[in-house]
Amino acid sequence: GVVVDGISSVDEAMLTGESDLVLKEVGDELLSGSYIASGQVYARVKRVGANNYANKLMMEADSKASAQRTGT
């Protein structure tokens, strides 16, 4: 989604590996699977269900694991 109002510090560590909190302001992208550590924002959702960022990461990891198991 995209922040449309507010400001927040967001933890994206599970998604990006970044251990520091990331400041999010109006116009910044929010990733599904991240969480707000402080502050408050309103966001416009861009992708849901199978199209969200967290799901795409999971599908990519599953695909790589399958390829390693089959040797392709």
Side-chain angles (χ1 to χ4, degrees), residues 36-59:
I36 294 176
S38 66
Q40 178 178 330
V41 297
Y42 290 93
R44 181 178 61 249
V45 176
K46 293 170 67 176
R47 293 178 288 277
V48 297
N51 293 322
N52 74 48
Y53 185 77
N55 191 61
K56 286 185 179 197
L57 285 178
M58 183 185 69
M59 296 301 288

Side-chain angles (χ1 to χ4, degrees), residues 2-25:
V2 176
V3 176
V4 295
D5 188 34
I7 189 168
S8 180
S9 294
V10 176
D11 185 333
E12 298 177 339
M14 294 292 289
L15 301 169
T16 65
E18 175 60 57
S19 61
D20 293 332
L21 296 176
V22 180
L23 183 66
K24 298 291 182 171
E25 300 176 298

